[in-house]
Amino acid sequence: MSFSESHKFSGEGIAHIARIIDKINLGIWEYNTDTKEVKWSSGFYTALGYAPGEIECSYNFFFNQLLYYHDKEVFLKATQHPRQGGSPVAHVRLLTKLNGYQWFENTTQKHDTADGPVIYGVLKNIHALKISEIKVTEAEFKVNEIGRIAKIGSWEIDTATMGLTFSKEMYDIFELDDHVTMSVEEAIGFFEPHYRKTLTNVVNEALNYCKPYDIELLFKTAKNNVIWVRSKGVPVINDHGKCVTVRGIFQDIDSIKRKGITLQSSINLLDDQNKRLQNFAYIVSHNLRSHSGNLKFMVNLFEEAKLSEERTEIFSHIKTISESLSATMGHLDEIVRIQSEITRERKLLDFETIFNNVASALHTNIDRTNAVINTNFSDCPQVNYIPAYLESILQNLLTNAIKYKHPDRNPVINITTRKVGNEVYLIFEDNGIGIDMQRYGDQLFGMYKTFHQNSDSKGIGLFITRNQVEALGGTIQVESAVNIGTKFTVKLV
Amino acid sequence: MNTENKSVTAGIVDDDEIFTYGFKKITAIKGLFDEILNFSNGKEAIDFLKDPQNKQRLPDVLFVDINMPVMNGWEFNKAFEEIKSQLGKNITLYNISSSIDLEDIKRAKSNPIIADYLLKPIDEQYLAEIFRSLQNAGDLRLYN
């Protein structure tokens, strides 16, 4: 049975209700819009921290002294236009006696009486509730903001249902507009194929064996952007040690990761250069040492020798050493020049033209060995390169192919170019004596490394070629079989 | 020279012609070694050692360079170790090189079949010591 049922109240009943209204821990008010008469319950004063009658009971006082100016509009909206049948609720701040402005919930009703239209309402202090609500909203906002700024999303897998839930930022990283729900498998499908198995394994290990994980993977967003992400999952276990939830973060680490990769490749490049320089210093020391050692040796012998024929012979060796020393110095100059020429301007060069220059310079060697040279530069006729380098590379490879020809056959040399994407390859094949790659493969491009009993082998050509190619960011690879031939594949750019 | 001393044959394995020439010349001047054999790389030396016809001409000591074409000093050391027991003669092995690379020195010195690693240019005094110790070793063997 409700209080208003059958509209019958005894005299005592009305007094009883008035008592209830005054004693209740809520502020009850009434306002007659015609007479401007205002009534406040005792609870109204108490709610604001006053004793009944301590403050002026009037609409003006309420509106101007108690109601926070910012909340006036909300209050008016709720009281002046109460919806038919409903009880509009407004959250407003009122000035209390001791605690400053506090949040109140005001519920309004409109009722027509014999004395005119009356608005009445109930005022309830909801300050603590409102503050915690504001704090929650702020915290949520902060969490979202942190996620957005750090590009970190969070997710959860419920073990029982295998349901996957995402934070807002997750969708931003996925580049999905709709906050659709997806299965674990569907989410894994966003990763690059190579990483799907890895992720599936670690997620399963987290679910089945409570093993946390932290991995970096390549991920393809809904808009087909491939980015590096970090996925970290931590299992949450119940009292029985079983995994009930896997909770984790998902972070866009693309810019960091790519910087790291660039850095690593710079380090590798520096490392290579360092190794080359060290090797170079070692070689220089070795060669100069062996020449100077021989020189000292011969000078001693010259002093010891008594016969003039002996002295003549020793002196001829001293001359040879002197020539070797100059040749070694020449090689060093050449290597130093590679580094200094690197800053020279690259030019658009015709393979055909450069090759013809080189071939005409070597025509005596070519003619003497009856070498057949087939060229095909049609796939990539031109390259942007330093002219002196390209000339030197072609010359060294051609000289080698002729020098190490097979004794039983005339040299056949095939030179082609290929373009793969933006990369330009120069391919040099011969039918010469070949080289035992298993034995010498790692030394092939070393300085003063000779592998054949060939008196004019100096072990400098390929060393220079590799340095020129690598100085411009290219690579050189070799395949060879003894008695069959050798194939050099030079990635120029 | 003591006529009772055993004659000592040395072999030089090196592609450096000037060094080989100097080696022969200095040992001739100083009266070291009774005969000098000369090989321009490791393979030539191994082929000579393996040939049964050379059984009576095997050297007492070999000076093997490290950097050589065809078969370098490291490869020679390995090949020598394999045929050592079939030679019927104890041949002392020295590595010689102008390389001051510590790795090279360590590698040669840690090999039990290598008596020592000699830096070029070769120290005549040390060469003379090697020669005398081989002569004496011959004496000991004769009298035992």
Side-chain angles (χ1 to χ4, degrees), chain A residues 82-94:
Chain A
R83 285 167 301 162
Q84 212 62 55
S87 313
V89 174
H91 289 177
V92 295
R93 277 157 287 188
L94 299 176

Side-chain angles (χ1 to χ4, degrees), chain B residues 3-112:
Chain B
T3 48
E4 276 181 276
N5 281 343
K6 193 196 130 209
S7 106
V8 179
T9 303
I12 171 106
V13 188
D14 197 337
D15 62 321
D16 182 344
E17 283 164 21
I18 292 176
F19 181 80
T20 308
Y21 167 81
F23 187 89
K24 284 182 188 166
K25 206 81 201 163
I26 196 75
T27 51
I29 291 172
K30 299 285 172 188
L32 308 172
F33 305 111
D34 303 282
E35 195 191 347
I36 305 242
L37 302 172
N38 179 193
F39 310 99
S40 67
N41 65 60
K43 191 171 177 300
E44 268 185 29
I46 288 289
D47 287 347
F48 177 87
L49 296 176
K50 280 209 286 205
D51 189 343
Q53 284 192 336
N54 298 323
K55 198 122 195 146
Q56 298 311 310
R57 299 180 57 213
L58 293 183
D60 299 278
V61 59
L62 277 172
F63 297 94
V64 185
D65 183 35
I66 299 296
N67 292 306
M68 288 182 289
V70 185
M71 182 189 273
N72 68 25
W74 307 125
E75 291 166 331
F76 174 85
N77 291 349
K78 216 174 146 224
F80 181 82
E81 205 176 349
E82 281 164 19
I83 61 161
K84 199 180 173 219
S85 59
Q86 301 143 40
L87 291 176
K89 185 171 185 177
N90 192 24
I91 302 175
T92 314
L93 221 56
Y94 287 89
N95 276 148
I96 49 170
S97 177
S98 47
S99 166
I100 48 160
D101 189 328
L102 282 176
E103 285 302 311
D104 284 353
I105 296 169
K106 231 164 47 188
R107 188 170 168 189
K109 293 214 174 192
S110 65
N111 189 340

Side-chain angles (χ1 to χ4, degrees), chain A residues 56-330:
Chain A
E56 183 192 319
C57 175
S58 75
Y59 182 83
N60 269 346
F61 186 82
F62 175 81
F63 198 75
N64 294 324
Q65 305 291 320
L66 298 177
L67 186 60
Y68 183 55
Y69 77 100
H70 217 276
D71 297 337
K72 284 179 181 172
E73 202 187 319
V74 179
F75 182 78
L76 287 177
K77 232 183 205 164
T79 51
Q80 293 188 348
H81 310 287
R83 285 167 301 162
Q84 212 62 55
S87 313
V89 174
H91 289 177
V92 295
R93 277 157 287 188
L94 299 176
L95 187 63
T96 63
K97 186 179 180 183
L98 298 171
N99 297 312
Y101 282 104
Q102 300 247 314
W103 280 99
F104 286 86
E105 182 182 87
N106 181 60
T107 318
T108 316
Q109 280 279 324
K110 201 174 181 180
H111 192 58
D112 289 320
T113 65
D115 302 330
V118 166
I119 304 171
Y120 62 97
V122 179
L123 209 58
K124 185 168 86 179
N125 187 318
I126 55 160
H127 194 70
L129 208 67
K130 190 75 182 175
I131 291 302
S132 54
E133 186 186 299
I134 289 166
K135 275 188 184 153
V136 167
T137 316
E138 268 175 9
E140 205 171 295
F141 175 76
K142 266 189 200 155
V143 165
N144 280 337
E145 273 299 283
I146 290 167
R148 196 179 62 80
I149 294 164
K151 296 185 176 182
I152 295 180
S154 64
W155 52 268
E156 248 183 57
I157 301 172
D158 176 26
T159 315
T161 61
M162 281 305 284
L164 180 64
T165 44
F166 277 1
S167 73
K168 187 189 162 296
E169 180 60 22
M170 287 296 286
Y171 293 103
D172 288 350
I173 298 173
F174 272 69
E175 293 195 296
L176 280 169
D177 292 333
D178 297 328
H179 290 191
V180 291
T181 51
M182 62 175 99
S183 70
V184 176
E185 286 74 28
E186 282 167 334
I188 288 173
F190 276 83
F191 291 84
E192 285 290 273
H194 179 64
Y195 293 95
R196 283 178 204 158
K197 201 166 180 265
T198 318
L199 188 59
T200 310
N201 284 346
V202 292
V203 169
N204 284 338
E205 290 214 338
L207 289 167
N208 300 327
Y209 309 116
C210 306
K211 217 173 139 190
Y213 69 85
D214 188 352
I215 50 176
E216 291 175 0
L217 320 113
L218 267 177
F219 174 85
K220 192 187 243 172
T221 69
K223 292 183 180 164
N224 284 329
N225 292 314
V226 177
I227 58 168
W228 279 100
V229 292
R230 173 186 178 194
S231 176
K232 185 174 180 178
V234 182
V236 179
I237 58 170
N238 64 12
D239 291 343
H240 307 289
K242 280 209 67 157
C243 173
V244 286
T245 307
V246 178
R247 193 174 287 154
I249 58 132
F250 187 72
Q251 187 178 13
D252 175 354
I253 54 163
D254 199 55
S255 74
I256 295 170
K257 185 80 180 176
R258 289 196 197 276
K259 271 180 209 147
I261 291 169
T262 318
L263 200 63
Q264 190 56 50
S265 75
S266 306
I267 289 170
N268 291 347
L269 196 74
L270 282 174
D271 215 35
D272 279 356
Q273 271 175 354
N274 230 353
K275 270 189 205 138
R276 278 216 302 275
L277 279 175
Q278 208 168 5
N279 188 34
F280 176 65
Y282 164 68
I283 289 157
V284 169
S285 126
H286 178 264
N287 281 281
L288 293 180
R289 181 177 296 279
S290 80
H291 292 318
S292 68
N294 275 347
L295 186 61
K296 191 176 161 203
F297 200 3
M298 288 303 121
V299 169
N300 282 347
L301 269 184
F302 190 85
E303 281 171 350
E304 301 245 9
K306 306 216 163 46
L307 302 171
S308 79
E309 305 91 80
E310 269 182 345
R311 289 195 151 205
T312 314
E313 194 182 3
I314 294 165
F315 191 74
S316 80
H317 287 307
I318 291 175
K319 263 161 80 180
T320 311
I321 295 166
S322 148
E323 278 156 23
S324 303
L325 270 172
S326 316
T328 303
M329 288 316 294

